[in-house]
Amino acid sequence: MGRPKSIELIAAFCFLAFGSFIVIEANGYRIGTLARMGPGYFPLVTGIAIAIIALIVLVTSWRRPETSETNIQWHGLIMVIIGVVTFGFLVEKFGFIVATFALIVLGSFAERSFRPWTALISSLILCIFGFSVFIYGLNLPLQLVRW
Amino acid sequence: MNFSPEMAAGFMTAFSPEALLFCFIGVALGTVVGILPGIGPLAAVSMMLPTTFYMDPTIGLIMLAGIFYGAQYGGSTASILLNIPGTASAAITCLDGYPLAQQGRAGVALFVTTITSFIGGSIAILLLMGFAPLVAELALRFGAPEYFCIMLLGLVAASTLSTISPLKGLLSVAVGVSLGLVGIDMGSGMQRYTFGYLPLIDGISLVSVAMGLFGIAEILSNVGQKQSKANIITDVRFSAMLPRRSELGAALKAALRGSGIGSFVGALPGAGPSIAAFIAYALEKRIAKDPSRFGKGAIEGISGPEAANNASVQAAFIPTLSLGIPGDAVMAVLLGALLIHGVTPGPQFLVEQPTMFWGLVASFWIGNLFLLILNIPLIGLWVKVLKIPYHILYPAMLFFICIGVYSVRNSVFDIYTAAGFGVLGYFMLRLNYPTAPLLLGFILGPLMEDHFKRGALIAGGDLEVFITRPISATLLTISALMIIVALLPVRRWFGIRV
């Protein structure tokens, strides 16, 4: 039996923590009985279920390590997420043109072969496309540019 | 099946110019998405979901459905030409499709898969037309307890059937349920898990979850990978498309068998096109006179599975529309879309909105016909699509995801949520936690709570009602059995002699 993969254990533990959190919070709401459920009942049961299953997964992962892909692509992950979060941050402050450019440029960094011109041209095309389809065509309330 | 005026009205709706246009857009988009490895129909449906909010719900649904079943046509293209499946369900088609292409018979393979896909889809649509009204009628006798139990069964099935680790599937479902509970509790008016944070009062946005968990997570999994430039076989001539006569018979029979399997499997919650295709392949191999042909270009090896996966996606609409139980993550998103539009699928749906139902069914016929046209003469076009480099594609996808998520509630918070779910989905994929059950739990969890409370209330607090009503009891028993069967190996896992 090999060594259990640490990331599996961490994940199971996180779920366990999550389940416990749900249970703790649920106790703050009225629980009631099974026949007359209060707002806290269902979350409580669900949280307990999560905690129990997470515990079982934790134990089984420990005793019988599973093979899973542990090759985490951190670089790609971080760049894409930064791109998305930046979009979120910029879109209401500066309008969606700026946000789109930021998204595309940052997101493109995730792939090793970053080509600035390609990114800029893509951004431009997407902005035009987005404008015509989403704002003009579908009347979505989006701000193009904001100062 | 009664030919009613509603049916006629529905068919008329499907033939309106708007419906035809969006049906076409849907299936074309589905084909493209199906062809491209790295984007699946789930991500595409999630991305297009916000655009349907500003449309008539029937039209929006027609388009989204078109993406779903259209993708099953396109999926085999990459399998045959690249030996890389465009959709998970097309993976089986690589086995005999690629060898056929290597033998210079790519045209035949593509032609056969398209025709058998059409056969599979058509048979399933007929079954849908026949069975959905029957199932809905049966389900009209459903009370709140039955709804609770069947949703429970749906969740249990989805989390234990098609996954490597049923335990992780159950965990995934439970997490989904808990996330679905965030927001205002209908019964008491109390805020749950919002911590006074305004954007959470309405709960977590379904679109954020779907797009993050399936769209962003998929992108995260694919970036940074070394893209191997596989040999794309591009020599596809129209004239070389027809199969040999001997093969034609075998292919058609396999298609019929595949359609049957696909329809059955598709109607089950939790089992999707991939399982259907796999079972069909296994069947063909088992009943073939010469099983050694498989893996080297046996025509049954592509026609059976392709018919099966198309049949299964059409059949998946049966439980979704007539019972309100989505059998698949995509169905769950479609269900969510309907709920947002204020339409509640379920037995009442067929009664209250027959035009929508029959309009949708009619659009399936139209869509499959469009796909037949798109996939045979236009096959050369799609081959070119395969050449788009991923590094141009995925930023565009991110763009659509961000706009889509934002536009639902004009909420930046939703974008951050989607990003969060993207990260979650990524790690879940890496660690073999199935992600679809999470979405199903998210959607069905709050509904289940509601039904349970109502069932208990109507019975005056007498909980036996869940066990004494026959349908309820049966459903609960099946759920319990499924859990037990799925978890039997647990003793082995513990390494303990119990």
Side-chain angles (χ1 to χ4, degrees), chain A residues 20-37:
Chain A
S20 316
F21 170 74
I22 300 281
V23 169
I24 294 172
E25 272 302 310
N27 275 308
Y29 313 125
R30 183 176 57 85
I31 304 283
T33 60
L34 185 61
R36 284 232 186 100
M37 283 185 173

Side-chain angles (χ1 to χ4, degrees), chain A residues 62-80:
Chain A
W62 179 264
R63 297 191 71 107
R64 203 165 203 238
E66 299 196 16
T67 46
S68 49
E69 291 273 324
T70 47
N71 183 20
I72 309 280
Q73 303 278 0
W74 290 107
H75 179 254
L77 180 92
I78 293 175
M79 287 319 299
V80 169

Side-chain angles (χ1 to χ4, degrees), chain B residues 29-89:
Chain B
L29 192 59
T31 310
V32 173
V33 160
I35 291 178
L36 290 169
I39 315 177
L42 183 55
V45 169
S46 307
M47 280 194 267
M48 294 306 286
L49 186 62
T51 58
T52 63
F53 295 157
Y54 298 89
M55 294 177 198
D56 173 74
T58 314
I59 311 271
L61 198 56
I62 289 178
M63 181 182 78
L64 293 178
I67 299 178
F68 186 40
Y69 57 84
Q72 300 305 323
Y73 275 82
S76 48
T77 308
S79 298
I80 294 170
L81 296 177
L82 265 182
N83 207 25
I84 301 174
T87 60
S89 52

